[in-house]
Amino acid sequence: MSMTENAGELKMVTFALGQQTFGIDMRSLIEIREWAPPTPLPSVASYILGVTNLRGTVVPIVGLAERLGWTPSEIHSRSCVLVVSIAGKQAGFLVDEVNDIVAIKEDAIQPAPDVEIQDTNVIAGLVQITTRGSEGDGDAAASSMVLMLDLDALTVTSTAATAASAIGAHGLHDAAAATPASVPGGLDLAA
Amino acid sequence: MSDELDEIQAIFFEECAEGLLAAEQGLAAMQGGDTSPKTIASVFRAVHSIKGGAGAFGHAALTAFAHRFENVLDEIRAGRIAPTQSVITVMLGAFDKVSDHVAAAQGTMGLPDDAASLAALEAVLAGQDAAPAMVEAPAPVQVPIVVEAPVSEEIDPFGFEPVTVAIEDLGGSDAAPAMPVDPEWTILFAPSRDAMANGAEPILVIRELEGMGAQVVGVDTSALPPLRDLDPENAYLRWTISLPGDVGEDQIGDCFDFVAPDSIVEVTRTNGEPLPPAPVEPDAPLREPGAIHDLLHRVEAASPAIFAAATTTAATTAADAPAKQDPRTADTASQTIRVDLHKLDMLLNLVGELVIRGSILSDRLSPADQQRVELPEQARLTREIQDTVMSLRAQPIRQAFNRVPRMLRDLTAETGKQVVLETQGETTEVDKGVIEKIGDPLTHLIRNAVDHGIESPDERLRAGKPAQGTIRLSAAQKGARIIVTVADDGRGIDRARVRAKAIEKGLIGADAVLSDEEIDQLICAPGFSTATTVSNISGRGVGMDVVRSNVEALGGRVDISSTPGRGTVFTLVLPLTLAILDGMVVRLAGQRFVLPLAHVVEAIRPEPGQVRSTTPGSEVIEVRGTYLPVRRLIQTFGLPDPNPLPPEESLVIIVESETAGKVGLIVDTIDDRREVVIKSLEQNLHPIRGLGGATILGDGSIALILDVDALVAPLSRTLTRGLAA
């Protein structure tokens, strides 16, 4: 598997959320940070967990699980925040675990069948990838399905999402109750 | 590639804005009597470069109009037309049209109707002091204009008799060829090899020439290398272009203004004679020396004094000519570079971050280490950097004042009132964001002053005032506030009428007792207008409302003071900067929030029983005999509060708001008072009602800034969403 950027190839960051493996285009990714409880916001959709300080910029943190209409992610030691750029705005997505960076052929992305996820279809396509380190274990186990997320379709930062349309209105407060004092420092600050 | 072009185009429009600014300042100086060659040259240069850029980007209408304007300026620069007040008036009109054309090229408005202004310019070119009526007359180009010429000096030395001359006969450069005998131009154009790398795309030049009727008659491809050596980004071709003889040589020259320096451009008449190197007079007949001379003769016959004045001006201008030859002398005065505003914002962010990291670092050191000289020194340096970055964003308020003169010209023309503008403190520096947002309020205040304040000349004379009204626009810095005033010497606010109108509109009860100040403030109520008829200028009742809401959105306020018969003064009190706010850090359910100090009146630790509930969900606090409404912010925001404090253990902060007067806000504690750097929430999210933004505290965590006016606004109108959450 080549990691160099070739024509027709794109790099994808894969991560786990719930029982699924998702992928986003590497070009949208700004950085990966450790989870730190964000400052909760009043009067916002429940999937907006709050805002955090990214080098002096106020960036919203989105619970991707809540956004997809699932039960909120449980915070554990491998929880991370993927900071991405969507149409010029930045947002952090809480995910369960970051897996890998893989290069895929653009034509290997299959159109998503009409997956029923909430109101809009946020899956840009499906990709089959060979899981690292499992080569030779048998073909079925060696490959897995990745759901490519359509970041634009998530519309987390562009529209004034109303609380009325949000599901699980208590998610905000669960996150807020975790620890009021925030822990400074993401991965980028370790250096 | 198209992005790049857009970027260049954006730079062009920025330069246009600067050019317009320079031109307006120059014209204003000329109006004020400064007709020095330097001033005239500055206006000429500004218009010329706008024209040049417009040509390169294919904005034909702008190019054509700027060209005519430039012709007049050129004549004035050369001393052939005296810059009299009426000529300057025509030029101010033309300047307005150039601004409109630039706006049209930017797509912010439709193409302006410039026929009247063009006609006035042509009239000036024809050596005639255009009567003011000419400027306004919506004369289509074809309409004949009037040139005055003496017929019989014996009968009356000042006797004028109008002679009708069709404008075609005056021969604008684009009009029908006035000298069809002119031999054709032949141009040999060989762009330099790296023309395209320098952004001097030859096709643009050729298109511009074609716009004047040129035809490419031959292409010399002999310089083309074999295919394997060919660099597609180089220019190898030489064009031979023929052009109708009636096109002015200066026009041709203008097309080549922006070609790369080592290009070959040879312009010849078809008879083969290369032109002499000295610039030849453009050949529009009336600009021929002979024609002008002829005209001057006729004018001289009519009025020797005027002629003498004109020639004197010409002579002085000519004498000063060497000074203006070096256009750089005027430009070297200010050394500036253009910086993208985003970069400045980013720098400000980073400095803010530096401050925060500095304080985190300081917190981690032992008290003894904190006292060492290095840390305070670094803090001082950081503070200095922060101040400098803030000052980079500061711009003279002139940028906001600059559009007022033009607006006044339009307004006075529309209303027939006479108004002079006096400005003061234009150099006061204000944050760029403030300048951008006070434009609309200023527009409304000036319109209001002309429409409602200043009386008609007759009425003013009857009231014993000069026929000409005065509007004073001033700006000054007082502490951390900028005070902008718009004062007129008109009739003042008619309080009886305002009151009657307010009762009629149901804004106040018929028996309400209001102070003069309160009545004055009524004019800022939404939908309020005393104008009996809705005019173009005002009367729709949105103006003053906009003024107040825009100013309040900036964190400022509007004061009104009015003396009947003497005039009205509007005072806008604005924050010096939008980026920094003096705040009180309070705690609500463990979370920190920032309350803007400007709103805070006092903080009270209530006695038992001082806070009482009236109806379920609404409470009041008794403060020195007055009952004030109280809001529990924890409930308003729907914050989880595991162990709510009784009122006696919390604090009530009395805030003053525009929407609901004095209101008490219940918070847990006050943490701190500090200056905070405001970060917008909408940059990455969307505005949230009740919040004015966010800030980053010393430990790197985020505190939300409360928007007091939105929070305390009457409940029916606010925060239903917040309560739902």
Side-chain angles (χ1 to χ4, degrees):
Chain A
M1 198 195 306
S2 160
M3 294 297 285
T4 51
E5 190 96 30
N6 292 325
E9 254 187 20
L10 60 90
K11 285 188 202 164
M12 179 173 74
V13 184
T14 63
F15 57 88
L17 187 72
Q19 301 303 307
Q20 300 289 353
T21 304
F22 285 93
I24 56 165
D25 191 331
M26 188 70 173
R27 286 169 295 190
S28 316
L29 185 71
I30 296 170
E31 65 181 61
I32 301 172
R33 293 166 72 91
E34 280 173 23
W35 166 256
T39 304
L41 290 169
S43 329
V44 290
S46 65
Y47 56 77
I48 295 181
L49 306 179
V51 283
T52 199
N53 169 16
L54 179 73
R55 285 187 297 282
T57 309
V58 177
V59 176
I61 302 297
V62 176
L64 187 54
E66 288 98 316
R67 175 63 188 90
L68 298 177
W70 302 351
T71 48
S73 307
E74 272 178 42
I75 306 296
H76 51 76
S77 60
R78 289 187 306 279
S79 295
C80 346
V81 172
L82 295 177
V83 182
V84 297
S85 163
I86 308 171
K89 291 188 169 188
Q90 297 178 0
F93 286 95
L94 169 63
V95 302
D96 286 343
E97 185 177 357
V98 171
N99 292 341
D100 203 355
I101 294 169
V102 292
I104 54 162
K105 295 252 184 257
E106 257 173 68
D107 53 17
I109 303 173
Q110 300 171 31
D114 267 338
V115 193
E116 285 285 322
I117 296 181
Q118 274 235 262
D119 43 351
T120 25
N121 195 349
V122 296
I123 305 300
L126 305 177
V127 196
Q128 192 145 59
I129 58 161
T130 312
T131 316
R132 247 193 217 176
S134 56
E135 282 156 55
D137 287 2
D139 40 351
S143 67
S144 61
M145 183 186 74
V146 176
L147 296 104
M148 278 290 276
L149 266 186
D150 183 347
L151 289 174
D152 291 327
L154 285 172
T155 60
V156 283
T157 60
S158 50
T159 54
T162 58
S165 72
I167 315 127
H170 297 290
L172 166 67
H173 308 319
D174 296 344
T179 26
S182 57
V183 184
L187 292 180
D188 60 309
L189 298 168
Chain B
M1 178 61 206
S2 80
D3 278 357
E4 250 170 64
L5 202 64
D6 282 352
E7 235 170 72
I8 300 171
Q9 176 110 283
I11 294 173
F12 161 64
F13 285 125
E14 269 176 45
E15 283 170 355
C16 275
E18 282 169 16
L20 288 172
L21 193 64
E24 176 147 46
Q25 279 167 359
L27 287 171
M30 287 171 75
Q31 202 176 19
D34 170 15
T35 52
S36 67
K38 203 177 139 193
T39 309
I40 296 168
S42 74
V43 179
F44 177 83
R45 249 196 326 270
V47 174
H48 179 73
S49 60
I50 289 173
K51 184 191 82 167
F57 286 105
H59 301 303
L62 171 58
T63 317
F65 186 83
H67 180 74
R68 302 291 187 87
F69 190 9
E70 188 189 352
N71 283 348
V72 174
L73 285 163
D74 197 26
E75 290 298 294
I76 295 171
R77 193 170 66 145
R80 285 186 288 268
I81 292 177
T84 59
Q85 281 301 324
S86 59
V87 167
I88 291 167
T89 309
V90 169
M91 290 200 296
L92 282 167
F95 165 80
D96 292 346
K97 290 295 173 202
V98 172
S99 312
D100 291 348
H101 270 296
V102 170
Q106 265 174 303
T108 53
M109 61 176 277
L111 268 185
D113 175 16
D114 57 12
S117 187
L118 270 182
L121 283 175
E122 290 300 334
V124 169
L125 265 187
Q128 172 216 38
D129 265 9
M134 282 318 278
V135 188
E136 272 128 43
V141 184
Q142 293 296 327
V143 165
I145 62 161
V146 171
V147 171
E148 291 163 346
V151 186
S152 167
E153 301 146 41
E154 281 80 23
I155 299 164
D156 176 3
F158 294 101
F160 291 114
E161 192 178 352
V163 171
T164 307
V165 179
I167 213 158
E168 296 99 306
D169 298 336
L170 290 172
S173 30
D174 296 358
M179 296 176 78
V181 290
D182 274 349
E184 285 201 338
W185 295 103
T186 302
I187 301 164
L188 178 68
F189 174 37
S192 78
R193 192 54 61 84
D194 52 359
M196 284 184 279
N198 293 333
E201 169 65 88
I203 191 75
L204 291 174
V205 176
I206 293 173
R207 289 224 180 100
E208 203 179 341
L209 288 167
E210 280 173 347
M212 298 190 299
Q215 273 188 311
V216 175
V217 291
V219 181
D220 176 5
T221 55
S222 61
L224 267 178
L227 197 54
R228 64 187 152 82
D229 298 332
L230 184 127
D231 180 346
E233 295 192 347
N234 279 359
Y236 297 100
L237 303 179
R238 297 156 75 94
W239 287 273
T240 312
I241 300 154
S242 81
L243 202 59
D246 61 306
V247 176
E249 200 210 349
D250 55 343
Q251 282 178 284
I252 300 173
D254 287 346
C255 295
F256 292 101
D257 269 357
F258 295 92
V259 298
D262 46 353
S263 306
I264 298 165
V265 179
E266 284 170 18
V267 182
T268 46
R269 290 280 192 192
T270 312
N271 58 19
E273 289 284 313
L275 279 154
V280 166
E281 270 309 306
D283 52 0
L286 275 172
R287 299 178 61 200
E288 288 277 326
I292 282 176
H293 214 244
D294 189 27
L295 242 163
L296 282 177
H297 266 302
R298 285 193 275 164
V299 177
E300 182 189 23
S303 165
I306 291 174
F307 179 67
T311 41
T312 321
T313 320
T316 41
T317 316
D320 289 337
K324 74 167 192 240
Q325 288 305 320
D326 184 6
R328 274 168 303 180
T329 44
D331 289 341
T332 44
S334 72
Q335 286 203 334
T336 54
I337 56 164
R338 214 185 295 278
V339 179
D340 189 342
L341 201 57
H342 285 298
K343 289 186 183 166
L344 279 188
D345 289 345
M346 199 156 89
L347 190 58
L348 189 64
N349 261 351
L350 291 174
V351 173
E353 191 73 354
L354 192 63
V355 172
I356 291 158
R357 297 293 152 197
S359 65
I360 295 174
L361 194 62
S362 155
D363 286 350
R364 295 211 178 147
L365 294 175
S366 67
D369 281 335
Q370 285 182 16
Q371 299 305 316
R372 283 174 197 259
V373 73
E374 292 86 358
L375 205 64
E377 183 72 358
Q378 200 196 344
R380 192 185 59 77
L381 281 174
T382 313
R383 180 80 208 182
E384 220 163 274
I385 296 174
Q386 192 176 15
D387 289 348
T388 313
V389 174
M390 294 299 296
S391 77
L392 290 181
R393 283 181 56 94
Q395 298 283 315
I397 202 163
R398 187 187 301 124
Q399 293 186 359
F401 282 8
N402 263 323
R403 59 180 182 181
V404 174
R406 159 166 202 190
M407 212 175 69
L408 262 189
R409 283 199 291 279
D410 290 349
L411 287 173
T412 48
E414 238 173 281
T415 57
K417 293 177 181 175
Q418 297 172 12
V419 186
V420 283
L421 178 72
E422 288 177 11
T423 51
Q424 225 174 24
E426 293 162 288
T427 52
T428 308
E429 295 208 323
V430 191
D431 189 273
K432 177 95 176 155
V434 177
I435 289 184
E436 277 163 8
K437 289 187 184 124
I438 60 164
D440 275 351
L442 272 185
T443 307
H444 287 296
L445 287 176
I446 298 280
R447 280 172 175 269
N448 200 59
V450 175
D451 206 34
H452 298 301
I454 306 278
E455 313 90 331
S456 66
D458 292 346
E459 203 179 319
R460 288 183 65 87
L461 289 172
R462 274 201 303 277
K465 299 192 211 179
Q468 200 169 42
T470 306
I471 292 179
R472 274 190 201 86
L473 190 57
S474 73
Q477 184 182 344
K478 281 189 185 149
R481 304 246 117 186
I482 297 288
I483 315 289
V484 177
T485 59
V486 178
D488 67 65
D489 63 349
R491 58 171 79 91
I493 294 176
D494 183 347
R495 298 205 172 98
R497 202 152 131 240
V498 168
R499 195 191 150 87
K501 202 81 183 179
I503 293 170
E504 182 194 318
K505 298 230 170 192
L507 294 169
I508 54 169
D511 51 354
V513 181
L514 297 174
S515 67
D516 285 354
E517 288 72 36
E518 285 169 321
I519 293 178
D520 291 348
Q521 282 290 343
L522 280 175
I523 65 171
C524 292
F528 188 87
S529 174
T530 54
T532 36
T533 52
V534 171
S535 71
N536 262 344
I537 303 169
S538 56
R540 289 196 174 79
V542 287
M544 292 307 296
D545 180 26
V546 167
V547 172
R548 192 164 78 172
S549 58
N550 280 24
V551 169
E552 280 171 9
L554 285 170
R557 62 167 203 273
V558 184
D559 292 341
I560 306 168
S561 88
S562 182
T563 317
R566 300 279 296 280
T568 308
V569 181
F570 290 91
T571 307
L572 313 184
V573 183
L574 301 163
L576 188 57
T577 166
L578 297 179
I580 287 190
L581 175 135
D582 221 358
M584 183 185 265
V585 182
V586 299
R587 261 183 206 276
L588 289 172
Q591 199 181 328
R592 281 176 291 184
F593 289 86
V594 177
L595 200 55
L597 213 55
H599 287 284
V600 175
V601 180
E602 61 182 320
I604 293 169
R605 167 83 67 186
E607 302 289 325
Q610 199 177 354
V611 176
R612 288 173 230 175
S613 59
T614 48
T615 57
S618 90
E619 290 168 302
V620 291
I621 183 170
E622 187 245 300
V623 182
R624 292 182 289 276
T626 313
Y627 290 101
L628 300 176
V630 167
R631 297 279 151 73
R632 287 179 185 268
L633 286 182
I634 288 177
Q635 285 171 9
T636 316
F637 279 144
L639 296 174
D641 195 7
N643 37 354
L645 296 169
E648 302 85 73
E649 286 176 40
S650 17
L651 286 173
V652 177
I653 297 176
I654 309 292
V655 293
E656 173 94 60
S657 70
E658 302 284 349
T659 44
K662 281 187 188 172
V663 176
L665 302 176
I666 298 189
V667 303
D668 297 348
T669 53
I670 298 175
D671 258 23
D672 199 1
R673 185 208 143 161
R674 63 166 70 205
E675 280 198 336
V676 297
V677 179
I678 304 172
K679 309 275 178 182
S680 89
L681 284 171
E682 50 267 44
Q683 188 190 344
N684 287 315
L685 194 62
H686 49 74
I688 296 171
R689 195 165 163 82
L691 295 182
T695 191
I696 297 167
L697 297 176
D699 61 359
S701 68
I702 289 180
L704 303 173
I705 300 171
L706 301 172
D707 175 354
V708 170
D709 282 326
L711 277 177
V712 303
L715 265 182
S716 57
R717 275 166 46 197
T718 184
L719 284 177
T720 39
R721 273 205 278 135
L723 292 168

